[in-house]
Amino acid sequence: MQRKSVIVTGGASGIGLASVERCLEEGASVVIADLEESEGASHAAALDGKHAGRCLFKACDVTDTAQVGRLFAETVEELGGVDAVFNNAGIGGIAPSDEVGDEEFLRIIDINLNGVFRVARAALRVMYRQGSGSLVNCASILGVFGQSQAAAYTAAKGGVVNMTRSLAIEAAPKGVRVNAIGPGYIDTPLLEALDDDMIQGLISLHPIGRLGRPEEVANGFLFLASDEASFVTGTTLMVDGGFTAGKS
Ligand SMILES: NC(=O)c1ccc[n+]([C@@H]2O[C@H](COP(=O)([O-])OP(=O)(O)OC[C@H]3O[C@@H](n4cnc5c(N)ncnc54)[C@H](O)[C@@H]3O)[C@@H](O)[C@H]2O)c1
C-alpha cells in the first residue's frame, strides 16, 4: 500500500478505524470519512502525528450525494487520486418486522445500501479516469444468511453482495476491481446494544469459538485493496470464523 491513497467511510470507529490503522502501517495515505466529526477528527489528528502526516479526516454523510461528491473531489485534489476505497459506513438494526415503520426501514436501506451505491458511483468516476483502482464494499454474513428481526439490514447487505458482482463486471474492462467483504460478528461498538447472553449466543455460531476482531476484517480489506488481489474481482471474502461454512 506504499504511496497509495485510500478512503475509508465509517472510518471513525470499529472495522473502519482498524482498516485506517492497517493501511497507515502499510504506507498508504488515508482519509477517514465519517458522520461523526469529533471522533473522526480526533482519531485522524492522533494517527496523522504517528504516521508522518498521512491521515486526514473529512466529514461525510453517505446519505448525501453532494457530500460524497465533495469527499472524492477534495481527496483527488489533496492526494492526487484515489487508489482504494473501503465502502464501510453502516448501521445495525434489530426489531420485529411487524413493528418496523417506513422511516426506520428506509433509514437502514439509505445508509447500508443506497449509501454504498453513492460512494461506489463516486469512486468509479474517479477510478475510471485513472484506469485503475480497487473498491471494497462492506457486506456481512447477513448478506448471504437471513436473521430474524433484521429484514432491512439483511436486505441491504444482500443487495451489497449482488451489487458488487454487477459493478465488478461493469468496471473490469476499465481496470477497476470491485469486491466485498463479509464479516461475521465482530467486537465493535455496533454490538454494544447486545447483552451478555446474546453475545454468548453469537459466539456459539462461529466455529472458531469467538467474535472477530476489527483488525481481522481490516486485513481482509487490505488484501482486496492491494495489488496482491490483482486477479480478484466480484467476490465477497467472508471473514467470519466459519459462520457461513455450515452447521457442526
Ligand atoms: N460489527 C459487526 O459484527 C459487523 C458484522 C458484519 C458487518 N458489519 C459491517 O461493518 C461495517 C462497520 O461496522 P462496525 O461494526 O465497525 O460499526 P461501528 O458502529 O463501530 O462503525 C460504523 C461507523 O460508520 C459511521 N456511519 C454511520 N452512518 C454513517 C453515515 N450515514 N455516513 C457516514 N458514516 C456513517 C459511524 O459514525 C461509525 O463511525 C458496517 O457496514 C457494518 O454493517 C459489522
Side-chain angles (χ1 to χ4, degrees), residues 5 19 42 44 47 62 70 76 93-94 114 128 131 140 162 165 182 191-192 196 200 214 224 227 246-247:
S5 65
S19 302
S42 78
L47 290 168
V62 300
R70 210 156 44 237
V76 168
I94 296 283
N114 303 349
Y128 285 179
S140 169
N162 218 21
R165 297 188 182 106
L191 302 191
E192 258 166 14
D196 276 356
Q200 286 309 318
L224 293 172
D227 295 339
K247 289 197 160 77

Side-chain angles (χ1 to χ4, degrees), residues 9-17 32-37 39-40 59-64 67 86-92 107 110-112 115-116 137-142 153 157 181-191 202 206 211-212 214 217 239:
T9 70
S13 174
I15 292 167
L17 182 58
I32 296 179
D34 206 291
L35 194 62
E36 279 293 334
E37 297 200 25
E39 284 285 297
C60 178
D61 181 343
V62 300
T63 67
D64 184 324
Q67 289 187 33
F86 195 8
N87 202 348
N88 160 79
I91 58 169
R107 187 174 123 75
D110 202 27
I111 297 171
N112 290 7
V116 167
N137 299 323
C138 194
S140 169
I141 45 175
L142 299 185
Y153 188 88
K157 294 297 186 182
I181 198 151
Y185 283 95
I186 309 297
D187 190 7
T188 74
L190 199 80
L191 302 191
L202 293 181
H206 299 75
L211 300 182
V217 183
V239 181

Side-chain angles (χ1 to χ4, degrees), residues 100-111 114 152:
V100 172
D102 283 2
E103 201 180 322
E104 193 180 345
F105 186 88
L106 293 173
R107 187 174 123 75
I108 293 171
I109 296 290
D110 202 27
I111 297 171
N114 303 349

Side-chain angles (χ1 to χ4, degrees), residues 45-107:
L47 290 168
D48 194 59
K50 193 171 158 197
H51 293 282
R54 286 186 285 110
C55 186
L56 59 156
F57 171 73
K58 292 194 179 295
C60 178
D61 181 343
V62 300
T63 67
D64 184 324
T65 300
Q67 289 187 33
V68 172
R70 210 156 44 237
L71 165 69
F72 279 80
E74 289 179 11
T75 303
V76 168
E77 203 174 303
E78 291 166 41
L79 299 181
V82 181
D83 298 301
V85 171
F86 195 8
N87 202 348
N88 160 79
I91 58 169
I94 296 283
S97 295
D98 57 324
E99 292 173 15
V100 172
D102 283 2
E103 201 180 322
E104 193 180 345
F105 186 88
L106 293 173
R107 187 174 123 75

